[in-house]
Amino acid sequence: MTTTSLTINGPMRPRYDEILTPDALAFVERLQHRFGGQRHALLADRMQLRYDLGNGRDLRFLPETESIRRDPDWRVAGAGPGLHDRRVEITGPCDPKMTINALNSRANVWLADLEDATSPTWANIIEGQLSLFDAIRGRLEYTSPGADGAPGKEYRVTAERTPTIVMRPRGWHLVEKHIEHTDRSGRTFAASASLVDVGLYAFHNAHALIAAGRGPYFYLPKLENHREARLWNEVFTFTEAELGLPHGTIRATVLIETFPAAFEMEEILYELRDHCAGLNAGRWDYVFSIIKNYRNRGLRFVLPDRDRILMTLPFMRAYTELLVQTAHKRGAHAIGGMSAFIPDRRSPEVTERALERVAADKRREARDGFDGSWVAHPDLIPVARAEFDAVLGDRPNQLDVLREEVAVTASELLDIRSAGGEITLAGVRANVSITVRYLESWLRGIGAAAIDHLMEDAATAEISRSQLWQWMHHELRCADGTFITHDLVEGMLAEVLAELPRPDGHKLAEAEEVFRQVTLGEDFPTFLTVPAYARFLVERDEEPIDSATDQRAA
């Protein structure tokens, strides 16, 4: 199907025409024409920054924007309808079953995730949009497949009050290869995944959300600086004008999940001030970003085993305390990080210890001034809610907790050596196992994978593979004296692969190939999802679509 400058390469399965309507695609086309060039320029700036950091530059608070930080008067738009109380937020992909479970979860907010928890197959993206489309209109139902083709369990939304939906689009660095855009010079590119996700969701749902007493709300991932925030603000302003929405209707919560963004939190809020509701401490992507940006800078930036990177470490405390102070100073919510443990009734002792750790983590966040926090499983909601209820009481948030005593310096954010700890053989093997198992799941179309009692997504897998790369390239030793070499990791990879089951449709061979590319190669891919996405062939209908006939039918 072809519009003026967009070509849909993916198959038009049942109901896809309800999302990929001519008018919706025309809107996405206008977003691409208006903002595609700026996006490319900002991605080039990211490459330059990584080059500079690799050559000895350290991040700092920007002297050229000091006046913004010193100005006491400006504030962000703040919470929109349905966003004032965010004490417990559940995250998850947008397939029908997970959508229904999230809406029945009794969380305050559902992060409807088209990013790290979603493997971006064509079906997952468009059917995720369909799930949201139906859920917002109160008509989503799902029947799981049963044995021998018989219907299985039925799922439907039963909660009287459902969580406020905040949709997370894919990041600026990603593309949607099933939608091609031809620019004014005649060159053809895969469309920006960010603009596709936001454009389709806002076009179809903004007015329905407002009528339901909520609004078109977004979580913005992977931002690295205030210029990228400025681009999002321009996208939102343009979207409001195009869709006939009052300026400021859209609300965004920014994930501070890259190391460079931690040094520009206030500037990011300033650029998005007409549309901003909050900041979130995306802690696992933040750790990955540290390793990625400083991976070649020596022992000063080497972290211990993944499970020893705790929020109580000094450099992580500096990051979260600065986030709370910055957000509240400007009237924005501060939302805490993910607890990804999956309770298991078959392992009551493991579950009890893990729930105690989750409770301690949420207790620390609530006492530090956070207004809410994330969980990955419905069974964690009561644990998180109890800790925030104990601090918030009847208040919807604690924006009045300004943390004026906090005075974080750039050197404190950069003090990665404060992590201390050690690297163990068990930690190396765990990283190998997590990376290859997650990649296999992702390549099968499952972006949130239950692995060893944790819900792993792209962010946590990124930590595992980037630690392996860094440890090998620095020729580090484990605590027992074993050198971390390519041969060691190759041997562990072979052992892990030999132990894994091979059900029908498994992708272990492909996962092994991607593992070698993102972990064992000399080059360091900026995101594992980029080479993994290249493995997805463009899905096509068996018969070509006649665009004129298709548009008349739509």
Side-chain angles (χ1 to χ4, degrees), residues 15-16 91-104 110-135 140-145 155-157 165 167-168 376 441 444-449 455:
R15 297 193 63 203
Y16 282 26
T91 71
C94 301
D95 60 272
K97 178 182 173 182
M98 296 299 288
T99 296
I100 291 169
N101 287 342
L103 294 177
N104 285 332
W110 172 41
L111 185 154
D113 196 6
L114 290 178
E115 201 226 9
D116 275 357
T118 291
S119 172
T121 65
W122 179 238
N124 283 347
I125 294 302
I126 302 304
E127 291 168 25
Q129 291 274 0
L130 275 167
S131 292
L132 293 167
F133 184 85
D134 287 343
L140 180 63
E141 295 182 352
Y142 173 70
T143 301
S144 63
Y155 295 83
R156 57 175 50 89
V157 179
I165 297 172
M167 194 271 271
R168 178 161 67 168
S441 173
R444 278 189 291 111
I446 300 171
M455 188 65 76

Side-chain angles (χ1 to χ4, degrees), residues 205-462:
N205 301 307
H207 289 284
L209 286 162
I210 294 165
R214 307 286 176 86
Y217 303 144
F218 298 98
Y219 255 112
L220 302 182
K222 307 292 191 291
L223 267 68
E224 294 203 2
N225 55 61
H226 68 281
R227 297 183 304 283
E228 295 181 13
R230 182 185 303 155
L231 179 57
W232 271 122
N233 193 69
E234 292 173 2
V235 169
F236 294 151
T237 298
F238 179 84
T239 296
E240 288 165 341
E242 289 280 307
L243 301 184
L245 306 176
H247 180 70
T249 299
I250 293 172
R251 290 290 196 278
T253 302
V254 179
L255 287 138
I256 301 300
E257 58 180 352
T258 69
F259 203 33
F263 293 80
E264 299 187 34
M265 293 188 205
E266 214 154 351
E267 293 88 339
I268 288 170
L269 287 174
Y270 181 80
E271 295 293 347
L272 275 163
R273 60 193 180 279
D274 289 349
H275 295 105
C276 197
L279 299 178
N280 172 278
R283 55 197 183 187
W284 304 131
D285 260 312
Y286 184 76
V287 171
F288 161 57
S289 179
I290 292 171
I291 302 169
K292 174 171 67 176
N293 283 294
Y294 284 90
R295 64 189 182 278
N296 289 318
R297 291 281 299 276
L299 296 179
R300 177 185 169 198
F301 293 99
V302 170
L303 289 163
D305 284 0
R306 198 187 91 168
D307 62 3
R308 299 174 189 232
I309 306 172
L310 305 175
M311 298 307 296
T312 52
L313 294 173
F315 76 99
M316 295 299 282
R317 291 287 292 159
Y319 153 63
T320 56
E321 291 194 324
L322 178 62
L323 188 148
V324 171
Q325 182 196 53
T326 302
H328 286 182
K329 176 182 176 182
R330 302 303 183 179
H333 283 140
I335 308 300
M338 170 69 78
S339 290
F341 175 72
I342 303 172
D344 186 348
R345 294 180 178 85
R346 297 168 299 179
S347 305
E349 292 183 2
V350 171
T351 295
E352 182 179 359
R353 289 195 300 270
L355 291 180
E356 289 173 356
R357 291 195 294 271
V358 171
D361 183 51
K362 303 310 178 189
R363 188 178 311 126
R364 173 191 51 77
E365 288 182 329
R367 291 176 178 176
D368 281 351
F370 281 96
D371 302 289
S373 191
W374 279 9
V375 298
H377 193 280
D379 287 353
L380 301 184
I381 291 174
V383 179
R385 187 178 299 282
E387 299 302 334
F388 276 90
D389 284 351
V391 173
L392 292 175
D394 294 332
R395 297 178 298 160
N397 52 62
Q398 47 185 341
L399 287 169
D400 57 317
V401 178
L402 298 179
R403 298 301 310 273
E404 292 176 334
E405 78 282 6
V406 171
V408 172
T409 64
S411 61
E412 288 174 311
L413 291 173
L414 287 160
D415 185 19
I416 311 305
R417 287 298 295 271
S418 65
E422 60 186 11
I423 303 166
T424 67
L425 270 175
V428 177
R429 184 182 176 86
N431 279 347
V432 172
S433 177
I434 289 165
T435 303
V436 74
R437 290 158 71 189
Y438 180 77
L439 282 169
E440 193 277 332
S441 173
W442 196 93
L443 290 166
R444 278 189 291 111
I446 300 171
I451 299 175
D452 299 334
H453 299 291
L454 291 176
M455 188 65 76
E456 300 281 350
D457 67 6
T460 53
E462 290 281 27

Side-chain angles (χ1 to χ4, degrees), residues 1 70 88 90 106 135 138 170 227 356-357 388 399 476 481:
M1 181 170 71
R70 287 187 174 276
V88 184
I90 191 167
R106 299 183 183 275
R170 287 169 286 177
R227 297 183 304 283
E356 289 173 356
R357 291 195 294 271
F388 276 90
L399 287 169
L476 299 179

Side-chain angles (χ1 to χ4, degrees), residues 4-75:
T4 305
S5 69
L6 290 185
T7 299
I8 308 301
N9 292 321
M12 295 294 288
R13 299 187 176 111
R15 297 193 63 203
Y16 282 26
D17 60 350
E18 296 179 41
I19 299 299
L20 300 170
T21 65
D23 287 344
L25 292 172
F27 175 59
V28 172
E29 177 188 24
R30 293 194 292 276
L31 289 174
Q32 286 287 155
H33 271 308
R34 184 73 173 264
F35 302 109
Q38 295 176 61
R39 168 183 169 266
H40 281 291
L42 289 169
L43 292 177
D45 289 345
R46 287 186 182 184
M47 293 175 62
Q48 182 63 52
L49 176 64
R50 284 193 293 274
Y51 177 83
D52 292 343
L53 295 178
N55 281 278
R57 174 184 165 188
D58 278 343
L59 292 164
R60 59 177 181 165
F61 298 111
L62 302 178
E64 61 267 31
T65 56
E66 185 176 359
S67 61
I68 292 173
R69 299 193 298 274
R70 287 187 174 276
D71 183 349
D73 295 329
W74 62 269
R75 296 289 185 276

Side-chain angles (χ1 to χ4, degrees), residues 73-90:
D73 295 329
W74 62 269
R75 296 289 185 276
V76 300
L83 272 184
H84 291 278
D85 189 332
R86 306 178 63 171
R87 67 189 69 198
V88 184
E89 302 193 354
I90 191 167

